[in-house]
Amino acid sequence: MQDEKKESGIHTDFSNDMTYGEYLQLDNLLASQNRLSGHHDEMLFIIIHQVSELWMKLILHELTSAIHAIQADKMQSAFKMLARVTKIQTQIIQAWDVLSTLTPAEYLEFRDKLGKASGFQSFQYRQIEFALGHKFKHILKIYEQDEELHRELETAFFAPSIYDVSIQALARAGFPIAPSLLNRDYSISYVGDESVANAWKEVYQNVDQHWNLYQLAEKLVDVEDWLQQWRFRHMKTVERIIGFKKGTGGSSGVNYLRHVLDHRFFPELWDLRTNL
């Protein structure tokens, strides 16, 4: 009773005010977990993937804003956004720990209900890859049946990645970057360039003179590091649940996930660890 008196100011009449549930549209959100099999563990499978997509939406929000901030030389804002991305990534990585409580026998009870639906088709994950510079045009074919989504992905596909704008920042700082990199076809995945390698090496050898670029480089390494850890946990969770079966979307499953671990988004930033 005493505690209730202390909280006598709590608002209870919402006839003319918005509630917490209305603000978050919880009716829609919590009504979106529709099991196709009725199996108990399908709820886990749906929620894990929905939560991951929500985190990816926030990652894209931050990455897109960070790209614009770097282009405008607002480095401190970009650093804050990229630091937030890495914190989000720790959350999305931990989701695999929860999903790994699903056993092979349990998953087989409802796997056939997925049809050809697969995480391989996650358009937000593709947008994250595009924002980081990993681009292959054949991926866009998956989304042709949705014209609006396809146009959105095409826009992201042809836009400069966060590494492209970081290379442009090196050029604005006076580093002799190859001119062909500053107005290149951004739909082609970046593979590396000696002028960029030399620029980053000088940044790391003269940290005090290039503090903002040094911080930018380390923030980019953080993002790639955590993304690769996410990919690794994805691979091991899939292996734990389905072994080396093909994915529901037709991919080779674990073999495909293992292959993408070899890809590097920011090659010079990793090579300089050896060459410094």
Side-chain angles (χ1 to χ4, degrees):
M1 180 67 73
Q2 191 64 31
D3 288 341
E4 290 178 4
K5 288 181 179 179
K6 289 180 182 179
E7 300 297 335
S8 59
I10 290 178
H11 195 74
T12 57
D13 181 4
F14 288 94
S15 55
N16 295 307
D17 292 299
M18 178 176 62
T19 66
Y20 169 82
E22 289 169 341
Y23 174 67
L24 295 178
Q25 299 183 56
L26 290 182
D27 284 349
N28 293 329
L29 187 65
L30 299 179
S32 299
Q33 295 74 45
N34 300 310
R35 289 177 290 168
L36 298 181
S37 68
H39 190 274
H40 173 85
D41 294 302
E42 190 181 356
M43 183 66 77
L44 162 68
F45 191 82
I46 292 171
I47 288 177
I48 286 294
H49 288 86
Q50 288 182 338
V51 168
S52 294
E53 290 291 337
L54 284 172
W55 281 130
M56 282 191 274
K57 183 171 184 175
L58 186 54
I59 287 173
L60 280 168
H61 177 71
E62 300 296 340
L63 276 179
T64 302
S65 295
I67 288 171
H68 296 325
I70 294 167
Q71 288 175 314
D73 287 321
K74 296 179 179 179
M75 292 299 189
Q76 295 305 316
S77 296
F79 299 158
K80 176 64 182 294
M81 295 163 189
L82 292 175
R84 181 173 290 161
V85 167
T86 59
K87 290 298 183 182
I88 298 166
Q89 288 174 301
T90 64
Q91 296 297 311
I92 208 168
I93 288 168
Q94 289 177 355
W96 296 122
D97 294 338
V98 183
L99 187 58
S100 66
T101 65
L102 182 69
T103 69
E106 290 164 345
Y107 184 44
L108 285 175
E109 292 290 329
F110 62 86
R111 188 179 190 235
D112 64 317
K113 297 297 183 181
L114 275 62
K116 291 181 172 60
S118 166
F120 186 84
Q121 300 146 15
S122 169
F123 62 86
Q124 290 197 122
Y125 178 73
R126 295 305 171 190
Q127 286 175 304
I128 290 171
E129 285 194 321
F130 294 170
L132 297 178
H134 188 44
K135 300 179 180 182
F136 290 98
K137 197 161 189 176
H138 69 272
I139 289 293
L140 293 175
K141 188 171 181 62
I142 296 172
Y143 311 99
E144 286 181 344
Q145 79 282 359
D146 186 330
E147 291 184 9
E148 184 176 348
L149 175 59
H150 190 260
R151 282 195 299 271
E152 182 181 339
L153 285 165
E154 272 197 325
T155 299
F157 187 79
F158 288 101
S161 72
I162 197 164
Y163 201 48
D164 287 315
V165 300
S166 297
I167 291 170
Q168 292 166 5
L170 286 170
R172 290 196 300 274
F175 290 97
I177 301 299
S180 60
L181 296 179
L182 302 178
N183 192 28
R184 72 184 193 88
D185 181 350
Y186 299 123
S187 69
I188 299 173
S189 290
Y190 178 80
V191 294
D193 185 88
E194 186 177 0
S195 66
V196 175
N198 291 337
W200 284 127
K201 187 173 182 179
E202 187 174 334
V203 167
Y204 274 74
Q205 289 175 329
N206 300 278
V207 172
D208 292 340
Q209 295 177 37
H210 308 293
W211 180 248
N212 275 347
L213 289 169
Y214 173 70
Q215 283 198 88
L216 174 59
E218 286 298 293
K219 289 290 188 290
L220 293 176
V221 169
D222 286 342
V223 170
E224 180 166 351
D225 188 352
W226 283 110
L227 183 64
Q228 292 292 54
Q229 292 187 52
W230 181 89
R231 283 173 158 180
F232 178 79
R233 287 295 296 124
H234 185 190
M235 178 194 72
K236 295 307 293 183
T237 303
V238 171
E239 183 178 359
R240 175 173 177 152
I241 296 174
I242 68 168
F244 286 82
K245 293 185 181 75
K246 279 192 173 184
T248 49
S251 76
S252 58
V254 168
N255 288 326
Y256 169 78
L257 297 173
R258 184 171 290 166
H259 171 72
V260 298
L261 284 171
D262 293 331
H263 174 260
R264 296 191 301 174
F265 294 93
F266 317 130
E268 293 90 356
L269 295 179
W270 292 100
D271 288 342
L272 71 79
R273 266 86 180 145
T274 302
N275 300 328
L276 201 61

mmCIF file of all heavy atoms in Angstrom, residues 100-119:
data_model
loop_
_atom_site.group_PDB
_atom_site.id
_atom_site.type_symbol
_atom_site.label_atom_id
_atom_site.label_comp_id
_atom_site.label_asym_id
_atom_site.label_seq_id
_atom_site.Cartn_x
_atom_site.Cartn_y
_atom_site.Cartn_z
ATOM 1 N N SER A 100 20.331 -22.038 -31.362
ATOM 2 C CA SER A 100 21.038 -23.321 -31.283
ATOM 3 C C SER A 100 20.436 -24.260 -30.240
ATOM 4 O O SER A 100 20.825 -25.429 -30.171
ATOM 5 C CB SER A 100 22.531 -23.095 -30.979
ATOM 6 O OG SER A 100 22.713 -22.555 -29.685
ATOM 7 N N THR A 101 19.466 -23.777 -29.447
ATOM 8 C CA THR A 101 18.742 -24.685 -28.546
ATOM 9 C C THR A 101 17.738 -25.540 -29.307
ATOM 10 O O THR A 101 17.144 -26.460 -28.740
ATOM 11 C CB THR A 101 18.005 -23.905 -27.430
ATOM 12 O OG1 THR A 101 16.980 -23.084 -28.014
ATOM 13 C CG2 THR A 101 18.972 -23.031 -26.634
ATOM 14 N N LEU A 102 17.539 -25.214 -30.594
ATOM 15 C CA LEU A 102 16.663 -26.016 -31.457
ATOM 16 C C LEU A 102 17.437 -27.243 -31.936
ATOM 17 O O LEU A 102 18.492 -27.116 -32.551
ATOM 18 C CB LEU A 102 16.213 -25.171 -32.654
ATOM 19 C CG LEU A 102 15.262 -25.816 -33.658
ATOM 20 C CD1 LEU A 102 13.888 -26.033 -33.024
ATOM 21 C CD2 LEU A 102 15.146 -24.928 -34.902
ATOM 22 N N THR A 103 16.925 -28.419 -31.661
ATOM 23 C CA THR A 103 17.634 -29.652 -32.045
ATOM 24 C C THR A 103 17.263 -30.056 -33.470
ATOM 25 O O THR A 103 16.240 -29.626 -34.005
ATOM 26 C CB THR A 103 17.274 -30.809 -31.101
ATOM 27 O OG1 THR A 103 15.899 -31.180 -31.331
ATOM 28 C CG2 THR A 103 17.474 -30.424 -29.636
ATOM 29 N N PRO A 104 18.080 -30.903 -34.109
ATOM 30 C CA PRO A 104 17.752 -31.374 -35.463
ATOM 31 C C PRO A 104 16.379 -32.035 -35.543
ATOM 32 O O PRO A 104 15.627 -31.799 -36.498
ATOM 33 C CB PRO A 104 18.872 -32.373 -35.766
ATOM 34 C CG PRO A 104 20.019 -31.938 -34.914
ATOM 35 C CD PRO A 104 19.396 -31.394 -33.658
ATOM 36 N N ALA A 105 16.056 -32.843 -34.556
ATOM 37 C CA ALA A 105 14.763 -33.536 -34.573
ATOM 38 C C ALA A 105 13.602 -32.546 -34.490
ATOM 39 O O ALA A 105 12.575 -32.712 -35.158
ATOM 40 C CB ALA A 105 14.694 -34.535 -33.417
ATOM 41 N N GLU A 106 13.775 -31.517 -33.660
ATOM 42 C CA GLU A 106 12.712 -30.513 -33.519
ATOM 43 C C GLU A 106 12.528 -29.725 -34.816
ATOM 44 O O GLU A 106 11.392 -29.477 -35.250
ATOM 45 C CB GLU A 106 13.049 -29.568 -32.366
ATOM 46 C CG GLU A 106 12.956 -30.237 -31.008
ATOM 47 C CD GLU A 106 13.637 -29.457 -29.899
ATOM 48 O OE1 GLU A 106 14.425 -28.532 -30.208
ATOM 49 O OE2 GLU A 106 13.405 -29.788 -28.714
ATOM 50 N N TYR A 107 13.618 -29.334 -35.443
ATOM 51 C CA TYR A 107 13.531 -28.548 -36.682
ATOM 52 C C TYR A 107 12.869 -29.343 -37.801
ATOM 53 O O TYR A 107 12.086 -28.803 -38.596
ATOM 54 C CB TYR A 107 14.917 -28.081 -37.095
ATOM 55 C CG TYR A 107 14.949 -27.173 -38.305
ATOM 56 C CD1 TYR A 107 14.034 -26.121 -38.441
ATOM 57 C CD2 TYR A 107 15.891 -27.348 -39.310
ATOM 58 C CE1 TYR A 107 14.062 -25.289 -39.543
ATOM 59 C CE2 TYR A 107 15.931 -26.512 -40.422
ATOM 60 C CZ TYR A 107 15.012 -25.485 -40.537
ATOM 61 O OH TYR A 107 15.043 -24.658 -41.629
ATOM 62 N N LEU A 108 13.149 -30.630 -37.870
ATOM 63 C CA LEU A 108 12.554 -31.466 -38.911
ATOM 64 C C LEU A 108 11.031 -31.537 -38.801
ATOM 65 O O LEU A 108 10.345 -31.840 -39.778
ATOM 66 C CB LEU A 108 13.146 -32.877 -38.850
ATOM 67 C CG LEU A 108 14.569 -33.020 -39.399
ATOM 68 C CD1 LEU A 108 15.089 -34.430 -39.162
ATOM 69 C CD2 LEU A 108 14.619 -32.665 -40.890
ATOM 70 N N GLU A 109 10.503 -31.238 -37.619
ATOM 71 C CA GLU A 109 9.055 -31.278 -37.420
ATOM 72 C C GLU A 109 8.333 -30.190 -38.218
ATOM 73 O O GLU A 109 7.138 -30.309 -38.498
ATOM 74 C CB GLU A 109 8.724 -31.137 -35.930
ATOM 75 C CG GLU A 109 9.141 -32.318 -35.077
ATOM 76 C CD GLU A 109 8.300 -33.552 -35.346
ATOM 77 O OE1 GLU A 109 7.108 -33.385 -35.702
ATOM 78 O OE2 GLU A 109 8.821 -34.678 -35.218
ATOM 79 N N PHE A 110 9.052 -29.107 -38.570
ATOM 80 C CA PHE A 110 8.364 -28.037 -39.308
ATOM 81 C C PHE A 110 9.172 -27.486 -40.488
ATOM 82 O O PHE A 110 8.694 -26.609 -41.208
ATOM 83 C CB PHE A 110 7.984 -26.882 -38.359
ATOM 84 C CG PHE A 110 9.154 -26.193 -37.694
ATOM 85 C CD1 PHE A 110 9.825 -25.145 -38.328
ATOM 86 C CD2 PHE A 110 9.571 -26.574 -36.425
ATOM 87 C CE1 PHE A 110 10.888 -24.502 -37.708
ATOM 88 C CE2 PHE A 110 10.635 -25.939 -35.798
ATOM 89 C CZ PHE A 110 11.296 -24.896 -36.443
ATOM 90 N N ARG A 111 10.357 -28.009 -40.755
ATOM 91 C CA ARG A 111 11.197 -27.462 -41.817
ATOM 92 C C ARG A 111 10.507 -27.468 -43.180
ATOM 93 O O ARG A 111 10.642 -26.525 -43.968
ATOM 94 C CB ARG A 111 12.524 -28.233 -41.906
ATOM 95 C CG ARG A 111 13.527 -27.588 -42.868
ATOM 96 C CD ARG A 111 14.828 -28.372 -42.915
ATOM 97 N NE ARG A 111 15.836 -27.607 -43.647
ATOM 98 C CZ ARG A 111 16.520 -28.064 -44.698
ATOM 99 N NH1 ARG A 111 16.290 -29.294 -45.143
ATOM 100 N NH2 ARG A 111 17.408 -27.320 -45.308
ATOM 101 N N ASP A 112 9.748 -28.517 -43.464
ATOM 102 C CA ASP A 112 9.097 -28.607 -44.776
ATOM 103 C C ASP A 112 8.071 -27.505 -44.987
ATOM 104 O O ASP A 112 7.734 -27.171 -46.130
ATOM 105 C CB ASP A 112 8.448 -29.986 -44.948
ATOM 106 C CG ASP A 112 7.326 -30.224 -43.956
ATOM 107 O OD1 ASP A 112 7.497 -29.873 -42.769
ATOM 108 O OD2 ASP A 112 6.267 -30.753 -44.352
ATOM 109 N N LYS A 113 7.580 -26.903 -43.903
ATOM 110 C CA LYS A 113 6.593 -25.826 -44.013
ATOM 111 C C LYS A 113 7.218 -24.544 -44.564
ATOM 112 O O LYS A 113 6.501 -23.651 -45.041
ATOM 113 C CB LYS A 113 5.956 -25.537 -42.646
ATOM 114 C CG LYS A 113 5.164 -26.696 -42.055
ATOM 115 C CD LYS A 113 3.972 -27.053 -42.925
ATOM 116 C CE LYS A 113 3.135 -28.161 -42.289
ATOM 117 N NZ LYS A 113 1.987 -28.540 -43.136
ATOM 118 N N LEU A 114 8.544 -24.436 -44.514
ATOM 119 C CA LEU A 114 9.215 -23.240 -45.023
ATOM 120 C C LEU A 114 9.201 -23.179 -46.543
ATOM 121 O O LEU A 114 9.401 -22.111 -47.126
ATOM 122 C CB LEU A 114 10.665 -23.183 -44.521
ATOM 123 C CG LEU A 114 10.925 -22.571 -43.143
ATOM 124 C CD1 LEU A 114 10.230 -23.343 -42.040
ATOM 125 C CD2 LEU A 114 12.409 -22.476 -42.874
ATOM 126 N N GLY A 115 8.988 -24.320 -47.193
ATOM 127 C CA GLY A 115 9.044 -24.350 -48.652
ATOM 128 C C GLY A 115 10.430 -23.937 -49.126
ATOM 129 O O GLY A 115 11.436 -24.486 -48.683
ATOM 130 N N LYS A 116 10.496 -22.931 -50.013
ATOM 131 C CA LYS A 116 11.770 -22.430 -50.513
ATOM 132 C C LYS A 116 12.199 -21.138 -49.814
ATOM 133 O O LYS A 116 13.176 -20.493 -50.208
ATOM 134 C CB LYS A 116 11.684 -22.207 -52.027
ATOM 135 C CG LYS A 116 11.569 -23.508 -52.821
ATOM 136 C CD LYS A 116 11.504 -23.239 -54.317
ATOM 137 C CE LYS A 116 11.581 -24.552 -55.103
ATOM 138 N NZ LYS A 116 10.490 -25.477 -54.790
ATOM 139 N N ALA A 117 11.451 -20.757 -48.767
ATOM 140 C CA ALA A 117 11.823 -19.566 -47.997
ATOM 141 C C ALA A 117 13.110 -19.827 -47.231
ATOM 142 O O ALA A 117 13.299 -20.897 -46.650
ATOM 143 C CB ALA A 117 10.696 -19.190 -47.041
ATOM 144 N N SER A 118 13.997 -18.845 -47.220
ATOM 145 C CA SER A 118 15.306 -19.028 -46.593
ATOM 146 C C SER A 118 15.887 -17.688 -46.179
ATOM 147 O O SER A 118 15.624 -16.650 -46.814
ATOM 148 C CB SER A 118 16.262 -19.705 -47.592
ATOM 149 O OG SER A 118 17.607 -19.607 -47.160
ATOM 150 N N GLY A 119 16.699 -17.691 -45.128
ATOM 151 C CA GLY A 119 17.412 -16.485 -44.725
ATOM 152 C C GLY A 119 18.313 -15.954 -45.819
ATOM 153 O O GLY A 119 18.668 -14.766 -45.824
#
